[in-house]
Amino acid sequence: MPIIVVRNKHSTEIDVFVSNYTTSKGNEDWFTLQPEGEDSWQRDEGWELVAFRVNGNGIHAPRKGEYIQVNQGRILIFHSMENIQII
């Protein structure tokens, strides 16, 4: 099963959301990543949305999303809202 890894290279906490389009077992909650932290999500092959928001800004926090194809697994590195690296 492919894995999506998200790394936080931003100077503050961020919240991360990963859709569960490819599996009914996936959790669609927002998860907090500390600076230099990382987390992973298992998904089946297909397309998923990975969304980011700056922690602490609540429901109105600015958000950014990346729609990615998950076949062999993907790594997303969050540097800022304007700089999300996808490997």
Side-chain angles (χ1 to χ4, degrees):
M1 180 176 281
I3 295 176
I4 299 169
V5 175
V6 177
R7 296 180 181 148
N8 180 12
K9 295 295 185 179
H10 195 263
S11 60
T12 62
E13 293 179 339
I14 61 169
D15 292 330
V16 180
F17 160 91
V18 178
S19 64
N20 64 353
Y21 299 141
T22 61
T23 180
S24 61
K25 298 176 185 175
N27 188 330
E28 287 191 315
D29 291 340
W30 286 94
F31 292 90
T32 301
L33 288 182
Q34 300 296 321
E36 299 300 323
E38 78 173 42
D39 206 344
S40 61
W41 290 259
Q42 288 188 326
R43 297 295 188 261
D44 291 330
E45 292 185 10
W47 290 88
E48 296 290 354
L49 171 67
V50 180
F52 302 90
R53 69 181 180 195
V54 176
N55 188 307
N57 289 336
I59 193 168
H60 301 293
R63 298 171 189 206
K64 172 83 180 220
E66 297 288 345
Y67 197 52
I68 60 169
Q69 188 172 16
V70 185
N71 290 333
Q72 302 295 321
R74 300 303 290 262
I75 299 172
L76 289 88
I77 303 171
F78 182 90
H79 299 277
S80 70
M81 288 290 192
E82 297 80 27
N83 184 5
I84 300 169
Q85 183 181 2
I86 303 172
I87 301 171

